[in-house]
Amino acid sequence: EAGVAQSPRYKIIEKRQSVAFWCNPISGHATLYWYQQILGQGPKLLIQFQNNGVVDDSQLPKDRFSAERLKGVDSTLKIQPAKLEDSAVYLCASSLSGSRDNEQFFGPGTRLTVL
Amino acid sequence: GDSVTQMEGPVTLSEEAFLTINCTYTATGYPSLFWYVQYPGEGLQLLLKATKADDKGSNKGFEATYRKETTSFHLEKGSVQVSDSAVYFCALSTGGGNKLTFGTGTQLKVEL
């Protein structure tokens, strides 16, 4: 069974530029998550989708970050404009449902460096 | 708010040594507790979990017991191998949803 796919794996941009990350979850998984992992910290949930609807985006900096999951399958996370503090690994995860204790499967992540 | 505190690393052990990585939590309600592992170059993967007090999660020789009285979920393994070298994250979820709150991670290095 294919795992969660993410691209690109690495991205380097200048501050104030925009960037987009793509995620393809495991087939059949209704719930998709985006996490931000800053160096030396644990992953922090940015946004959670159930199919194509947002369940939780309370920690998403909405002035610069946006995410969509238009057809309830793959998802895109965008940052515009980027700041130095956005340098982090962006992790996508998926689970069969959003019910508590449903195992989340993580992709390899996209490492973003903002110069 | 919910939080997880785990011991800082890196932890360096010789092969076949006993491992303990401490994890304590603060949460409203009754959380479920997890250990995730990240091997070099790979994504996070679930190692074990426990969903109620006194439950013991176990997998691949690792164990952790949900201790409500001490709000802890310490990870243990009796005899580590070089292949166990990785970063270990303690996490919790509360409420009806599946949002995970992670600790900062503990890097384990096992040497021959």
Side-chain angles (χ1 to χ4, degrees):
Chain A
E1 178 181 277
V4 176
Q6 290 188 247
S7 68
R9 292 294 308 275
Y10 306 91
K11 189 74 176 178
I12 300 174
I13 61 172
E14 301 278 336
K15 61 183 178 183
R16 292 187 289 273
Q17 287 186 323
S18 62
V19 64
F21 313 127
W22 175 82
C23 172
N24 190 34
I26 292 173
S27 177
H29 280 196
T31 311
L32 185 147
Y33 314 79
W34 283 102
Y35 289 86
Q36 179 191 56
Q37 186 177 11
I38 294 172
L39 187 65
Q41 299 180 21
K44 180 184 79 172
L45 180 70
L46 292 176
I47 188 167
Q48 176 180 344
F49 290 96
Q50 180 70 19
N51 297 309
N52 60 352
V54 175
V55 173
D56 183 347
D57 64 357
S58 57
Q59 298 191 91
L60 186 74
K62 299 180 186 64
D63 58 333
R64 299 184 299 105
F65 285 65
S66 64
E68 59 183 15
R69 193 184 183 199
L70 290 176
K71 296 183 179 179
V73 180
D74 54 357
S75 175
T76 303
L77 176 70
K78 296 180 182 178
I79 308 175
Q80 182 179 9
K83 293 185 175 181
L84 296 177
E85 58 261 37
D86 298 331
S87 293
V89 177
Y90 290 85
L91 300 170
C92 180
S94 69
S95 61
L96 273 172
S97 81
S99 299
R100 180 166 152 170
D101 302 338
N102 229 263
E103 183 175 352
Q104 295 186 29
F105 295 83
F106 284 80
T110 296
R111 183 177 298 275
L112 173 67
T113 302
V114 182
L115 302 175
Chain B
D2 299 339
S3 66
V4 175
T5 302
Q6 56 182 112
M7 63 189 287
E8 291 191 16
V11 173
T12 303
L13 296 174
S14 298
E15 201 170 46
E16 299 184 0
F18 184 86
L19 168 71
T20 300
I21 300 178
N22 291 336
C23 171
T24 58
Y25 66 88
T26 302
T28 53
Y30 301 97
S32 296
L33 301 172
F34 307 84
W35 278 100
Y36 277 80
V37 59
Q38 187 169 34
Y39 297 104
E42 299 184 17
L44 280 164
Q45 52 187 276
L46 180 64
L47 180 60
L48 53 84
K49 71 179 184 183
T51 58
K52 61 182 187 295
D54 300 324
D55 268 3
K56 178 186 284 188
S58 62
N59 187 23
K60 299 181 180 180
F62 291 89
E63 293 183 339
T65 301
Y66 188 145
R67 301 288 188 198
K68 186 170 181 288
E69 62 277 12
T70 55
T71 62
S72 65
F73 193 55
H74 305 321
L75 182 68
E76 297 181 334
K77 187 175 185 182
S79 175
V80 293
Q81 306 299 312
V82 172
S83 57
D84 294 326
S85 297
V87 181
Y88 293 81
F89 292 89
C90 186
L92 64 81
S93 69
T94 59
N98 206 24
K99 172 184 175 180
L100 290 171
T101 299
F102 286 88
T104 54
T106 302
Q107 184 174 14
L108 171 65
K109 297 180 181 178
V110 181
E111 301 173 336
L112 290 171

